[in-house]
Amino acid sequence: MQPSPTTSATTTSATTLVTAAEISRLAGVTRATVSNWRRRHEDFPAPAGGTDTSPAYDLTQVRSWLAARGRLPEGTAADDLRIALGALPEALSPPCLSALLCVLVGSADALSDPAPLSDNDLATLSDLATLSDNDLAAAATEAAQRYRNAFPDTADTPFGAREVPVIRALLRCAREQGPQPTIDVLDRGAESARVPPPPRVSRGLADLMAALVTGPQGSYPVSVLDPMCGSGDLLLAAARRGALSFHGRSDAAATAACATARILVQNQDAMVDLTAGDGLRTGPELDTAYDAALCNPPFGDRDWGHDDLVYDPRWAYGVPPRNESELAWVQHCLAQLRDGAPAVLLMPPGAAERPSGRRVRAELLRRGALRAVIALPPGIHPPRHLGLHLWILRRPVPDTDPPREILLVDATEFSD
C-alpha cells in the first residue's frame, strides 16, 4: 500500500480502472468484440489510464456504456470485488491482503457462518460504505491496526485513495453475500499468483473430523492443532464446535491469513496462531501440548525431508519410510499433543497396507495410539476415485495399559 496525498472530505470516490480483458469478462464477450466496440463507437469511454498499448478505462463509465446498450449482465458483489482486485493486483500481496482481512474481521461482530449478518452488523457495514474516501481509508487503517496482532504480515503503511475502491467492494460483498464467501474471493485471487494449496475440505467432511475429537463427556478441546491447515477448513469446523485456540501452518502467507480470518469471523475472541511454512522440516513445538489435532496431510510426498530428519525425536513409533510421508504427519501430530489427547487424520488407503510402513503401524497399535480406522466412500475428497480413510488416534498415557481392541468401520457403501 502506498500513502496517498491528502484531499478534502468531498473528494469523489476513487476511480476503478479496468482493462479490455476485464471489460470482456464483465460483458461476457470476447476481447475481439471489445476491440471492435472501441473502433466502431465514438461514444465508447476514452482511456482513463494505462498505456498506449494497454489502455485502462473508468469502470463506472464502462458500466454505463454497457448498460445503455443492454450489454451489462447482472453482476454480484463478489464479481465487483474480483474486478476491483484485478484493477489493483498489489492488494493481494501479503501485507495489503492481511490489512484487508483485518478490515473484514473488524467490520462486524462475531459473525457466524452460514448465519446471515444481523441488522446491527448490516448497519455497521452500510455506515462504513457511506464514508468519504478519506474517512473510509482512515477507518480501514484503524481496523487494520486493531487486528494486526492476528495477522503478522499486515502492512504498516496506511490505506490511501488507491485502495478505497477495493475496500468499498470488500464491504459490499461482506454485506450482501457474507464474510466467509468474501474471504473465499480474496483467497482465490491470491491463489492465482502462486501454486494452489491442497484441495479444500468440504464442510461435511470437516465437521465429521472435528466431531470425532469431542471428549467422552461431550466437552470440546480448547486448543486444536492442524500442522498442514491449508485454507483452515478443519480448524474452522473446530471453531464451530467451540474450540478457542488454533495453531498450525499453511503453504503460503496469504493462505494462512485467509484461514486466520475465517476463524476470527466465526469467533473474534479466538486465539489464532497460523503461519506459513513446512511443519515437518521446521520441527514441532515439543514444549507445547495441544488438546487435539486435525490434519489432511499431503499424500505420496517423497520429498518430505526423510534424509534430514532420520534422528528426529518425533519418530517415537519408528522412522517413517521415505515413501510413507503420511506416517510422518501422524507422528508429528502425536508428538505435540498432551497425554490422552485425540487426533484425526485423513489418510490414503495405501497407508494402512503398504509393506514399508508395517513396523510403524504395528508400534502404533501395540502402544494403543491408533484407536480406529474408518473407510470412507469414494468421491468425498480428492483423489475422487479413492475411498480415503480416517485414522482416529490418541496419544498414549504413560503407565496405563493400552486398549486391546481397535475399531474398524467400513462406510464405503454409504453415500450422500
Side-chain angles (χ1 to χ4, degrees):
M1 296 183 293
Q2 298 295 328
S4 58
T6 301
T7 57
S8 67
T10 58
T11 300
T12 58
S13 295
T15 300
T16 299
L17 299 179
V18 291
T19 64
E22 289 162 341
I23 295 173
S24 69
R25 288 194 291 270
L26 177 64
V29 298
T30 64
R31 284 281 302 277
T33 300
V34 176
S35 298
N36 190 39
W37 288 343
R38 291 170 53 195
R39 290 193 305 268
R40 295 183 56 186
H41 299 281
E42 295 182 356
D43 61 341
F44 190 85
T51 64
D52 291 340
T53 56
S54 182
Y57 304 86
D58 184 323
L59 176 59
T60 301
Q61 295 179 7
V62 170
R63 283 184 177 279
S64 298
W65 191 89
L66 292 172
R69 287 156 181 78
R71 292 281 189 171
L72 184 63
E74 183 176 353
T76 66
D79 293 331
D80 289 344
L81 178 55
R82 293 187 190 97
I83 291 172
L85 292 169
L88 190 68
E90 55 266 40
L92 292 171
S93 65
C96 191
L97 175 63
S98 293
L100 290 172
L101 291 166
C102 287
V103 174
L104 184 59
V105 171
S107 62
D109 293 332
L111 304 176
S112 180
D113 181 36
L117 300 176
S118 68
D119 291 341
N120 183 60
D121 296 328
L122 286 170
T124 301
L125 292 173
S126 297
D127 289 345
L128 284 173
T130 59
L131 293 176
S132 68
D133 286 354
N134 282 350
D135 289 344
L136 180 57
T141 299
E142 181 183 352
Q145 294 303 313
R146 189 183 313 134
Y147 290 93
R148 65 171 301 151
N149 288 340
F151 299 87
D153 293 316
T154 304
D156 293 324
T157 308
F159 285 113
R162 296 177 68 247
E163 291 81 31
V164 166
V166 176
I167 297 170
R168 291 194 186 283
L170 180 84
L171 295 174
R172 182 192 165 208
C173 191
R175 185 175 68 248
E176 296 184 10
Q177 297 189 240
Q180 297 291 3
T182 303
I183 297 171
D184 290 344
V185 173
L186 295 172
D187 199 6
R188 284 193 290 269
E191 283 178 19
S192 63
R194 67 179 195 274
V195 177
R200 298 286 300 273
V201 180
S202 69
R203 177 159 180 159
L205 179 57
D207 283 342
L208 171 61
M209 293 177 65
L212 288 171
V213 297
T214 300
Q217 281 76 42
S219 60
Y220 203 77
V222 173
S223 61
V224 181
L225 167 72
D226 184 348
M228 192 65 176
C229 68
S231 295
D233 299 305
L234 297 178
L235 293 177
L236 180 58
R240 288 193 290 266
R241 299 188 71 85
L244 299 175
S245 180
F246 307 88
H247 309 264
R249 294 181 181 272
S250 194
D251 66 308
T255 312
C258 289
T260 297
R262 288 187 177 96
I263 296 169
L264 289 176
V265 162
Q266 175 70 29
N267 179 4
Q268 288 186 327
D269 295 326
M271 201 288 281
V272 187
D273 177 24
L274 305 182
T275 58
D278 184 332
L280 281 182
R281 291 181 180 275
T282 56
E285 301 174 19
L286 293 177
D287 58 341
T288 302
Y290 300 109
D291 297 326
L294 298 167
C295 187
N296 171 27
F299 299 163
D301 179 14
R302 297 181 64 89
D303 188 29
W304 57 269
H306 175 274
D307 294 343
D308 299 329
L309 301 173
V310 170
Y311 301 105
D312 196 283
R314 286 171 287 181
W315 315 145
Y317 305 88
V319 178
R322 187 186 305 276
N323 65 331
E324 296 274 9
S325 61
E326 300 86 1
L327 295 180
W329 287 104
V330 166
Q331 297 191 72
H332 177 74
C333 289
L334 288 172
Q336 298 178 81
L337 295 175
R338 60 172 175 77
D339 292 341
V344 176
L345 284 84
L346 185 63
M347 303 282 281
E353 59 187 23
R354 296 189 194 108
S356 56
R358 182 184 298 115
R359 289 186 178 181
V360 174
R361 293 196 304 271
E363 191 65 12
L364 289 168
L365 289 169
R366 187 185 70 81
R367 295 177 57 182
L370 182 59
R371 298 296 185 86
V373 176
I374 302 174
L376 301 173
I380 66 172
H381 187 79
R384 303 289 181 186
H385 65 286
L386 291 179
L388 304 179
H389 290 176
L390 290 179
W391 284 25
I392 294 91
L393 304 108
R394 194 170 293 274
R395 181 182 170 104
V397 177
D399 302 322
T400 60
D401 294 332
R404 301 175 61 86
E405 298 176 343
I406 179 174
L407 176 65
L408 301 177
V409 179
D410 183 1
T412 55
E413 298 302 319
F414 291 90
S415 63
D416 296 337

